[in-house]
Amino acid sequence: MKQTDIGEKTELVANWQTLQRIFIQPENKAARTALVKYMEQILFGLHDFLKKHVGITRELSLETLSERYKNSKISRNPEKKLADVIKGIIEDIAPHAVNVASPYFIGHMTSAIPFFMVHLQTIVAALNQNPVKLETSKVVSILERQVLAKIHRKIYRMTDEFYDRHIQNPDSTLGSFVNDGTLANLTALWVARNAFFKPKDDFTGVEEQGMAAALQAYGYKRCVVLVSQLGHYSLRKAGGILGIGNANIIPVEVDKNSRMNINKLQDIISNIQNNSSGTKILAIVGIAGATETGTIDPLNKISEICKEHKIHFHADAAWGGPALLSEKYKHLLLGIEKADSVTIDGHKQFYMPMGCGMIYFKNPSIMDAIAYHAAYVIRPGSVDLGIRSLEGSRAAVSLVLGSALEIMGAGGYELLINHGIETAGYFAEEIKKRNLFELVTYPQLNILTYRIFPEDLKIKWQTGSMQEKKDITQQVNQININVQRLQREAGKSFVSRTTLKRTDQADMVVFRSVIMNPMTNIDIICEILDEQEEIYNSQFKI
Ligand SMILES: *Cc1c(COP(=O)(O)O)cnc(C)c1O
């Protein structure tokens, strides 16, 4: 626990004296210098590592690594000084973590973040504000409301007068920060459920009396949520938690462009309405940037259908939301302004560190449907943000997003968004030029899927019977699974893989690429494709 006197060889003991020292400001110049040096190590030691270490992760099996971490006892005495802990993390942990900052890492929605995010995140820890209540956050809660209004405005583009009225009005809630997209989607469906099954007559509301009483009071047998088959699995979790049942999160087929098939949606709705099954459609979810394909559902059409049938329209823009900051591409999300609720993740295309989800609502009072009060905090009539929020205590990440918006400007984010979309477009063109590959989903945003599909098999497939087609697809799937694995294990670059369901043919294994690192360019992409071709040619070519 001795923190500040580096250099001296002291025995590590837990005592009251050292405890006091780590809770107060470093008392002398030497101690301050030491602490600054540690921060330098974090900022640059880690950064140097990320620069040198281009591959995804150093080769060392998970079994070997787990052998090192089998001691489950907390030692009675302090084991290490801060300096040694930092050194240990930089030397022993970082090299075996995944270098998500590599421009060759194009497989997931986690990527390099701007350098300043580390500074901002450090401030969040240093101030340690808790926006659950004003008494532990004061101006930080007020700032949070401002940041929420800024993003709300990008989504809904309401009038100046609207924002003047609601931005700092404790009775209005434009949205809420949560830990991630999963909790944002859960909050959206929670609000939709409670707003629909509101108190009437003797029934005091679903939040108080539960689903069985709610269905009975409203004369239904079950409720469902409709989302395209590419819907994120967090919606199914929400179905489970909210008592809707995850089997009642009903997938709607997609069209050939991987967008929700509106005819199929209408069929499902008519079916439900015609057969007096006692089913209530609680919400329809439109995806703005599907996790697997990056595709955007026809939001305008979904909004019209929701309006006609008075159904809650939720837009899951966890991935695609920040494209609203691009003047050039924001039109791709048209219709999102009609959504009753919108999910956006800050730790995806706002390039924030992990732990920032957001949920927005068009109607500033709809979150009253989930309001909770407690006697010692979040008292009725107070401005505590915890009144209408899924989480209790949480980090003040609005400080990070608010500052990042100031540092980057909408223009800075636009550059990142445009780079991703345009590089993904070049990527798609490059795939089309190469005979070994087939482009499976064209990037509407910056995600695309493709696969290896050797020429001879392509030809056989075209003229094959149903059974032959199925067999060829399985053979091709296996090739893609193996190439993806070998590329990952080689550790130079990383593309993920997924399985897309096809209604007209066998399920298809594809490579999935997410272009969000501004350092990923077409040359790097060509190298990654070359590597895949090499692996195929050396191992699987028949
Ligand atoms: C990532 C994602 C989510 C879930 O977000 P987490 O932050 O991982 O919980 C939900 N929906 C979509 C479309 C996503 O891309």
Side-chain angles (χ1 to χ4, degrees):
M1 206 177 258
K2 281 235 167 195
Q3 301 292 329
T4 48
D5 47 349
I6 47 156
E8 286 170 40
K9 283 271 173 279
T10 38
E11 196 192 340
L12 296 173
V13 283
N15 63 27
W16 190 246
Q17 202 187 354
T18 41
L19 189 70
Q20 278 189 319
R21 287 171 65 186
I22 61 171
F23 272 86
I24 55 172
Q25 287 287 334
E27 69 277 36
N28 58 41
K29 200 154 175 267
R32 294 173 84 104
T33 314
L35 283 175
V36 171
K37 218 179 82 190
Y38 300 154
M39 280 314 285
E40 251 181 48
Q41 259 185 296
I42 295 172
L43 287 169
F44 301 109
L46 225 39
H47 192 64
D48 286 346
F49 153 74
L50 291 175
K51 263 200 316 211
K52 266 189 260 146
H53 186 76
V54 172
I56 300 313
T57 184
R58 230 186 247 177
E59 242 178 80
L60 201 50
S61 74
L62 281 178
E63 290 77 29
T64 318
L65 284 172
S66 13
E67 280 307 316
R68 293 187 193 169
Y69 299 93
K70 287 211 158 150
N71 175 5
S72 58
K73 295 189 191 112
I74 300 173
S75 91
R76 184 86 203 135
N77 279 320
E79 293 178 83
K80 288 178 181 174
K81 292 186 189 180
L82 177 61
D84 297 327
V85 165
I86 293 172
K87 192 162 170 277
I89 292 175
I90 292 175
E91 289 176 3
D92 301 329
I93 307 276
H96 305 296
V98 174
N99 182 3
V100 296
S102 164
Y104 290 81
F105 186 87
I106 57 166
H108 285 301
M109 294 171 155
T110 306
S111 162
I113 54 175
F115 210 49
F116 63 75
M117 291 293 182
V118 182
H119 297 74
L120 297 175
Q121 193 81 353
T122 310
I123 294 172
V124 171
L127 281 176
N128 198 29
Q129 302 293 293
N130 184 354
V132 70
K133 52 188 180 284
L134 213 68
E135 289 170 359
T136 50
S137 59
K138 201 173 174 188
V139 74
V140 175
S141 280
I142 292 169
L143 176 103
E144 181 164 315
R145 296 190 65 103
Q146 183 190 24
V147 178
L148 287 165
K150 284 185 179 180
I151 306 289
H152 188 282
R153 191 173 192 133
K154 280 286 171 200
I155 302 169
Y156 292 108
R157 290 172 292 171
M158 305 281 200
T159 58
D160 285 345
E161 197 257 322
F162 175 91
Y163 291 104
D164 286 346
R165 184 144 42 94
H166 295 291
I167 188 166
Q168 297 297 348
N169 178 351
D171 295 330
S172 313
T173 317
L174 298 177
S176 169
F177 278 87
V178 282
N179 187 61
D180 63 2
T182 298
L183 296 189
N185 281 341
L186 172 58
T187 306
L189 295 186
W190 185 26
V191 168
R193 187 196 72 165
N194 289 13
F196 180 77
F197 291 113
K198 56 180 186 277
K200 70 163 189 181
D201 309 327
D202 289 344
F203 175 64
T204 59
V206 61
E207 189 70 17
E208 202 167 303
Q209 293 191 274
M211 275 305 276
L215 290 168
Q216 202 185 13
Y218 280 81
Y220 289 108
K221 291 208 182 81
R222 65 163 186 165
C223 51
V224 298
V225 173
L226 308 180
V227 59
S228 106
Q229 63 185 81
L230 291 169
H232 191 269
Y233 66 95
S234 55
L235 295 164
R236 297 183 57 245
K237 288 186 190 170
I241 294 167
L242 294 171
I244 295 166
N246 68 22
N248 292 321
I249 308 298
I250 296 179
V252 182
E253 273 176 38
V254 293
D255 62 19
K256 62 177 192 319
N257 294 317
S258 299
R259 302 178 214 199
M260 183 190 274
N261 182 327
I262 293 296
N263 292 331
K264 299 276 181 192
L265 173 68
Q266 270 160 336
D267 288 350
I268 295 178
I269 296 174
S270 321
N271 262 335
I272 287 174
Q273 288 174 341
N274 294 341
N275 72 5
S276 61
S277 60
T279 299
K280 163 68 193 166
I281 304 171
L282 207 51
I284 301 177
V285 181
I287 315 170
T291 318
E292 285 170 288
T293 55
T295 43
I296 302 169
D297 285 334
L299 301 176
N300 265 319
K301 292 224 179 81
I302 298 175
S303 84
E304 281 162 24
I305 292 170
C306 285
K307 195 168 167 203
E308 184 192 336
H309 298 280
K310 297 202 175 60
I311 297 170
H312 185 102
F313 171 26
H314 175 59
D316 185 355
W319 176 252
L324 290 164
L325 273 62
S326 165
E327 291 304 316
K328 194 166 171 189
Y329 293 109
K330 67 179 182 194
H331 66 90
L332 294 172
L333 273 65
L334 269 177
I336 197 169
E337 72 284 357
K338 296 180 188 134
D340 295 297
S341 53
V342 176
T343 287
I344 298 183
D345 263 346
H347 55 229
K348 290 179 178 169
Q349 298 207 79
F350 277 115
Y351 293 81
M352 286 172 64
M354 281 303 132
C356 177
M358 293 171 275
I359 180 69
Y360 291 92
F361 292 92
K362 188 177 195 171
N363 170 356
S365 358
I366 197 172
M367 278 190 101
D368 289 351
I370 57 153
Y372 268 77
H373 299 287
Y376 70 103
V377 294
I378 57 173
R379 284 177 281 262
S382 78
V383 290
D384 298 340
L385 295 176
I387 294 173
R388 300 176 199 87
S389 152
L390 177 61
E391 285 163 292
S393 300
R394 57 192 170 80
V397 292
S398 60
L399 261 180
V400 179
L401 181 56
S403 311
L405 290 171
E406 288 173 342
I407 295 171
M408 300 280 289
Y413 276 114
E414 163 149 27
L415 288 173
L416 289 168
I417 296 287
N418 295 1
H419 171 270
I421 294 175
E422 285 159 16
T423 307
Y426 302 140
F427 193 170
E429 294 314 314
E430 183 63 30
I431 290 165
K432 285 187 194 161
K433 277 193 233 154
R434 298 185 183 221
N435 291 334
L436 181 60
F437 294 99
E438 178 191 54
L439 183 66
V440 178
T441 53
Y442 189 85
Q444 281 176 44
L445 287 170
N446 46 0
I447 299 178
L448 57 86
T449 65
Y450 65 103
R451 61 176 177 164
I452 289 179
F453 197 177
E455 281 274 87
D456 50 336
L457 290 176
K458 260 183 219 162
I459 294 162
K460 270 198 214 156
W461 189 87
Q462 269 151 10
T463 54
S465 66
M466 280 294 271
Q467 187 56 44
E468 282 163 340
K469 281 187 172 161
K470 223 173 140 186
D471 293 344
I472 292 170
T473 303
Q474 257 152 23
Q475 192 185 345
V476 173
N477 285 352
Q478 202 51 53
I479 293 174
N480 283 277
I481 290 170
N482 290 335
V483 172
Q484 193 269 346
R485 183 176 50 80
L486 288 170
Q487 187 172 35
R488 185 190 64 209
E489 283 171 6
K492 192 173 165 296
S493 46
F494 176 76
V495 178
S496 64
R497 104 178 126 74
T498 188
T499 303
L500 297 180
K501 293 221 177 314
R502 301 270 128 161
T503 39
D504 51 338
Q505 48 179 293
D507 292 352
M508 193 188 279
V509 172
V510 293
F511 296 123
R512 165 176 171 266
S513 281
V514 183
I515 309 297
M516 67 181 296
N517 187 326
M519 298 302 139
T520 302
N521 57 28
I522 191 65
D523 295 337
I524 288 179
I525 284 164
C526 286
E527 280 179 53
I528 294 172
L529 288 171
D530 289 346
E531 190 190 8
Q532 291 179 330
E533 285 199 24
E534 273 161 38
I535 296 173
Y536 171 78
N537 287 331
S538 65
Q539 309 252 358
F540 302 103
K541 198 165 177 182
I542 351 161

